[in-house]
Amino acid sequence: FDYGNCPFVVLNEYFDGDSDTGSSGDVVDPLYDWLVDDLSTNTLEYVFVIGHEPAFPQPDADNGRLRHVGDSLDQYPENRDRFWNVLVEYNVLAYLTGHTHNYSAILLDGVWQFDVGHARGQGDPGAPSTFCIVSVSGDYISLNTYREGADTADEVDYMDYLHSYNLHGTPPTPTNIEIEYVNSSVTLEWDYVPSAYYWIYGANDPTGEFFNVSFQGIFERVADKMTWTTPINSEKKYYHITRHD
């Protein structure tokens, strides 16, 4: 399927040429040939490939748990390497995968491999649940990761923003910035840009050091505007908005 200028190519890595479930996880000749044909005839710019098994299994980014080494595409290293080389050849932005239930992100020969983890909550307590969102806004392409947060070991009640990966381009500079002080809070407002992410920095002295205060406030989209609101004391504050590249 395509979204904007991004094609998303989905592979069944259990297809053996005859059956959809005949392989233990491999990029066999018929699947490889189909992928090459698809990539060679693609006319869109920013390609994602999706398959269940990682080419290079990695430890979980938070706790280092390692699973399915030798039981992923690395079980067949010649086919795995051939597969990865074609991703490199056709300038694929990223390979999105799973299987291990771990979350990881690595850049290999110019192609990202994102293992997007699992979303089973306490069904897999060995690693936090993870959600990855691919954002497409013209030539600005990013992948943003959120992981499970909890008040207690048994009660999951929110997702923590973890990281944003800039895969191509940069988010545009914020425009029409306004600031409003109301009672004991301050609100910054600027024009909403789809898929663009920003940090808020604050300081007591405009000539001093600015610190990231993004998580001290609440971001909210209101129609065609983005707002960020935070409580303040009587001290005057200075803010600037930085593109989150």
Side-chain angles (χ1 to χ4, degrees):
F1 65 94
D2 300 331
Y3 183 87
N5 50 2
C6 293
F8 291 80
V9 183
V10 183
L11 303 177
N12 177 7
E13 293 166 346
Y14 301 101
F15 175 67
D16 67 353
D18 295 313
S19 168
D20 286 340
T21 58
S23 165
S24 61
D26 190 10
V27 182
V28 296
D29 289 346
L31 184 59
Y32 174 82
D33 292 342
W34 179 89
L35 175 63
V36 170
D37 180 67
D38 189 79
L39 294 178
S40 66
T41 57
N42 166 61
T43 59
L44 299 178
E45 295 180 87
Y46 309 118
V47 183
F48 290 81
V49 174
I50 303 171
H52 183 70
E53 298 196 0
F56 304 92
Q58 300 295 307
D60 184 82
D62 282 336
N63 62 28
R65 183 178 73 164
L66 190 59
R67 299 180 72 231
H68 290 298
V69 175
D71 183 26
S72 298
L73 296 188
D74 60 337
Q75 183 177 1
Y76 306 100
E78 290 186 7
N79 285 356
R80 184 272 312 273
D81 292 346
R82 180 180 66 168
F83 164 67
W84 200 260
N85 288 338
V86 84
L87 302 189
V88 174
E89 178 182 352
Y90 286 98
N91 299 310
V92 170
L93 275 184
Y95 175 55
L96 309 180
T97 186
H99 194 47
T100 69
H101 290 200
N102 297 326
Y103 166 73
S104 64
I106 56 169
L107 183 64
L108 297 167
D109 299 324
V111 179
W112 284 98
Q113 176 185 276
F114 292 101
D115 189 329
V116 300
H118 73 90
R120 299 184 65 217
Q122 293 304 310
D124 183 352
S129 288
T130 308
F131 291 90
C132 294
I133 300 174
V134 175
S135 297
V136 178
S137 180
D139 289 333
Y140 175 56
I141 317 294
S142 65
L143 183 142
N144 304 284
T145 302
Y146 299 80
R147 294 208 90 176
E148 166 185 292
D151 290 334
T152 70
D154 299 322
E155 182 181 352
V156 176
D157 62 359
Y158 63 91
M159 298 298 294
D160 287 328
Y161 170 80
L162 181 64
H163 195 76
S164 179
Y165 294 89
N166 178 11
L167 304 183
H168 188 274
T170 56
T173 300
T175 56
N176 295 323
I177 300 172
E178 297 183 4
I179 187 168
E180 181 180 18
Y181 291 91
V182 177
N183 298 326
S184 58
S185 69
V186 60
T187 297
L188 302 181
E189 179 183 273
W190 62 94
D191 290 343
Y192 169 73
V193 179
S195 305
Y197 292 81
Y198 299 96
W199 289 135
I200 310 298
Y201 286 78
N204 295 327
D205 181 347
T207 62
E209 184 175 3
F210 280 72
F211 295 93
N212 191 333
V213 296
S214 302
F215 297 108
Q216 296 177 15
I218 297 174
F219 289 91
E220 184 178 10
R221 178 185 173 185
V222 180
D224 59 350
K225 296 290 185 179
M226 281 298 298
T227 66
W228 177 81
T229 302
T230 187
I232 58 170
N233 53 31
S234 58
E235 271 188 327
K236 188 173 182 178
K237 293 280 188 180
Y238 298 84
Y239 296 97
H240 72 247
I241 304 173
T242 300
R243 296 182 309 192
H244 184 352
D245 300 340

